[in-house]
C-alpha cells in the first residue's frame, strides 16, 4: 500500500508539502498540487485517517457501538449509519460491546484515543456516566435514554400491534415472550402486548427469555413447548427467537399457522426466507441508522436540533406464520 513518502518521491516534493496538500494546511503552489494529485491517483494512495486527524486535530472518524452484529438486526442499523455518514465524508469505526459494561466503556475510551468527532451508541447501558463526560457529540440508537439525542422505533405500539393481530386471527391460548428486561426495547414491546391483551380480555401466559441472541434461542424454543405445549399463538421477543420457535414447532409436529401462529419482532432480512415465512413487526432499522447519523452530523456542524428524540413507526408484516384476515369471534 502506497505511503505518503511514495507520493512525495513520485511528485518530486517533500513529505511535508504532501502533508500540507492532503490536509489543506498551509500554502502549496497550484502546479505542485497538480503533481501531488497525479501521484496520489497513480499510486492509489489513501491517507491514514488517524494520522490525518492527529495533524488536523479534527478527524472525520465516527464511533459506532453495537451490542452484537451476529444478530442480523444490528447490521441493518449500522448500514443506515454508514451510508449517511459516507455521503457526508465521514468514516466509521464499529465496536461490538456484547452487552458487557466493561467492553462498552473500553470502546468509548478507544474512540476517544482514536480522535473520533462523534459517537453513535446502540448502547445497553445508556445511563453510563462515561456518556455524560464526552468531548464530542453523542446519539443513542435503538436502546436509548431521555438524557441524550436519540432515535428508536415505537416498540410499545409494536407490542400492541402484535397482540392485536394474533387475537384478530383467532389465537386464544397465547404465550407472550418477555425479552431481556434490562433493555428498554424489550420492556416497551412487552408492555404494549400486555396492555393490548388485557384490553382484549384475552388470557395469556408469559415466559421470560433472558436473551435476544442465536446462542440461547433454541433453549427458549424448547422451554416454550415444554411449559406451554397447547399454546396456539406466540408473540416472540424478536425474530431470532421466533425463528428458533418455527424450527422447534416443526420438530414437535405443530402445523403453522393452522395450529400455531407466531409473530416476531424486527423483520430481519432472513425472516422472509424461513418456512413458513415469519409474520413479524418491522422496525425500520436502516432508516433508524440514517436518522441517528443525521442527528449526529447536525451536532458536529453546530446546527440546532429541531427534535432531540426521534421515534419511527413500526408496521405489521403479514407472511405465513399467521392466518389470513380478521377472525373476530
Ligand atoms: O433483536 C435484537 C433486539 O435488540 C431488537 O429487537 C432491537 O430492538 C434491539 O434492542
Amino acid at each position: 500500500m502506497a505511503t505518503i513518502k511514495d507520493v512525495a518521491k513520485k511528485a518530486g516534493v517533500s513529505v511535508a508539502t504532501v502533508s500540507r496538500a492532503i490536509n489543506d494546511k498551509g500554502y502549496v503552489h497550484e502546479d505542485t498540487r497538480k503533481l501531488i494529485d497525479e501521484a496520489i491517483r497513480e499510486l492509489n494512495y489513501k491517507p491514514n485517517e488517524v494520522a490525518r486527524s492527529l495533524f488536523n486535530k479534527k478527524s472525520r472518524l465516527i464511533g459506532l457501538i453495537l451490542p452484537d452484529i451476529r444478530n442480523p438486526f444490528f447490521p441493518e442499523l449500522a448500514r443506515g449509519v454508514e451510508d449517511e455518514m459516507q455521503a457526508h465524508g465521514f468514516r466509521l469505526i464499529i465496536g461490538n460491546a456484547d452487552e458487557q459494561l466493561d467492553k462498552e466503556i473500553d470502546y468509548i475510551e478507544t474512540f476517544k484515543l482514536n480522535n473520533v468527532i462523534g459517537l453513535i451508541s446502540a448502547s445497553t447501558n445508556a445511563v453510563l456516566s462515561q456518556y455524560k463526560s464526552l468531548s464530542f457529540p453523542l446519539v443513542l440508537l435503538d436502546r436509548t435514554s431521555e438524557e441524550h439525542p436519540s432515535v428508536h422505533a415505537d416498540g410499545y405500539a409494536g407490542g400492541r400491534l402484535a397482540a392485536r393481530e394474533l387475537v384478530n386471527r383467532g389465537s386464544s391460548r397465547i404465550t407472550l415472550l418477555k425479552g431481556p428486561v434490562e433493555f428498554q426495547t424489550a420492556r416497551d414491546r412487552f408492555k404494549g402486548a400486555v396492555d393490548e391483551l388485557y384490553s382484549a380480555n384475552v388470557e395469556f401466559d408469559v415466559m421470560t427469555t433472558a436473551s435476544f441472541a442465536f446462542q440461547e434461542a433454541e433453549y427458549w424454543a424448547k422451554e416454550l413447548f415444554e411449559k406451554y405445549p397447547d399454546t396456539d399463538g406466540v408473540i416472540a421477543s424478536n425474530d431470532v427467537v421466533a425463528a428458533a420457535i418455527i424450527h422447534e414447532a416443526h420438530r414437535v409436529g405443530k402445523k403453522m399457522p393452522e395450529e400455531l401462529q407466531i409473530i416476531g419482532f424486527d423483520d430481519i432480512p432472513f425472516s422472509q426466507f424461513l418456512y413458513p415465512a415469519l409474520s413479524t413487526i418491522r422496525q425500520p432499522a436502516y432508516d433508524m441508522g440514517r436518522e441517528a447519523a443525521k442527528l449526529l452530523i447536525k451536532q458536529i456542524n453546530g446546527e440546532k436540533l429541531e427534535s432531540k428524540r426521534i421515534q419511527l413507526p413500526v408496521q405489521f408484516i403479514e407472511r405465513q406464520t399467521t392466518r389470513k384476515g380478521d377472525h373476530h369471534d
Side-chain angles (χ1 to χ4, degrees):
M1 189 165 79
T3 67
I4 192 169
K5 281 183 182 171
D6 300 327
V7 172
K9 188 175 177 192
K10 190 160 187 70
V13 299
S14 70
V15 168
T17 304
V18 175
S19 184
R20 284 202 309 276
I22 60 177
N23 290 295
D24 290 332
K25 289 273 185 189
Y27 173 72
V28 177
H29 189 281
E30 188 183 334
D31 294 345
T32 306
R33 189 176 290 278
K34 282 179 184 165
L35 286 172
I36 293 170
D37 289 347
E38 185 58 31
I40 287 172
R41 259 194 308 279
E42 284 181 24
L43 295 170
N44 191 28
Y45 169 67
K46 301 283 183 214
N48 175 311
E49 281 299 340
V50 176
R52 174 204 286 269
S53 66
L54 292 174
F55 184 91
N56 290 337
K57 300 285 181 287
K58 186 172 171 53
S59 80
R60 295 181 302 165
L61 294 173
I62 302 294
L64 173 62
I65 294 178
L66 298 171
D68 182 357
I69 58 170
R70 288 171 298 182
N71 180 321
F73 173 80
F74 297 110
E76 289 294 301
L77 277 187
R79 190 60 203 245
V81 173
E82 182 181 14
D83 286 354
E84 189 66 25
M85 283 297 171
Q86 187 93 22
H88 291 81
F90 295 99
R91 297 292 179 271
L92 224 49
I93 308 177
I94 296 178
N96 283 279
D98 289 335
E99 294 162 359
Q100 292 169 23
L101 192 59
D102 55 344
K103 276 194 85 173
E104 188 159 343
I105 292 171
D106 184 54
Y107 267 114
I108 294 170
E109 294 313 310
T110 301
F111 291 147
K112 285 177 182 173
L113 290 173
N114 278 276
N115 206 19
V116 301
I117 56 168
L119 173 60
I120 295 175
S121 179
S123 158
T124 41
N125 303 282
V127 295
L128 264 180
S129 59
Q130 281 77 354
Y131 285 121
K132 294 183 175 64
S133 56
L134 296 174
S135 61
F136 42 76
L138 165 70
V139 171
L140 296 179
L141 172 56
D142 176 56
R143 301 174 183 181
T144 65
S145 78
E146 301 280 335
E147 296 160 78
H148 303 286
S150 65
V151 178
H152 66 284
D154 189 347
Y156 177 79
R160 289 204 75 129
L161 189 52
R164 190 177 316 128
E165 291 296 342
L166 215 52
V167 171
N168 287 349
R169 295 160 192 268
S171 283
S172 57
R173 297 187 306 283
I174 292 173
T175 309
L176 171 56
L177 300 193
K178 186 177 186 179
V181 294
E182 64 269 33
F183 306 141
Q184 187 69 43
T185 50
R187 295 197 299 270
D188 288 348
R189 67 193 67 161
F190 175 72
K191 184 169 188 331
V194 168
D195 290 353
E196 182 65 29
L197 292 168
Y198 277 144
S199 64
N201 199 23
V202 170
E203 284 193 24
F204 60 98
D205 293 302
V206 173
M207 189 177 98
T208 298
T209 56
S211 157
F212 277 137
F214 279 111
Q215 293 87 321
E216 291 84 19
E218 185 180 11
Y219 172 82
W220 307 128
K222 288 185 182 308
E223 185 181 8
L224 168 72
F225 291 115
E226 282 161 14
K227 283 187 175 175
Y228 308 106
D230 299 329
T231 186
D232 68 351
V234 179
I235 302 170
S237 54
N238 73 344
D239 280 11
V240 166
V241 173
I245 291 168
I246 291 173
H247 187 264
E248 185 65 11
H250 284 305
R251 198 184 67 81
V252 300
K254 288 262 186 187
K255 291 191 185 72
M256 292 164 280
E258 299 81 356
E259 297 171 345
L260 174 70
Q261 298 191 98
I262 304 169
I263 294 183
F265 206 105
D266 286 345
D267 195 22
I268 57 177
F270 276 117
S271 295
Q272 63 190 307
F273 301 127
L274 297 171
Y275 185 79
L278 178 64
S279 298
T280 188
I281 301 300
R282 173 169 175 63
Q283 292 202 84
Y286 180 84
D287 292 339
M288 289 161 68
R290 290 197 67 172
E291 288 306 315
K294 287 175 186 171
L295 263 187
L296 190 68
I297 292 169
K298 280 183 178 170
Q299 293 179 81
I300 291 169
N301 295 338
E303 296 170 29
K304 186 177 178 322
L305 300 182
E306 303 85 48
S307 166
K308 289 184 75 173
R309 281 180 64 75
I310 296 174
Q311 178 176 272
L312 297 183
V314 298
Q315 65 182 117
F316 175 59
I317 304 295
E318 179 179 26
R319 296 196 179 103
Q320 283 76 51
T321 56
T322 47
R323 294 190 283 269
K324 290 299 173 201
D326 279 7
H327 295 256
H328 288 295
D329 294 334

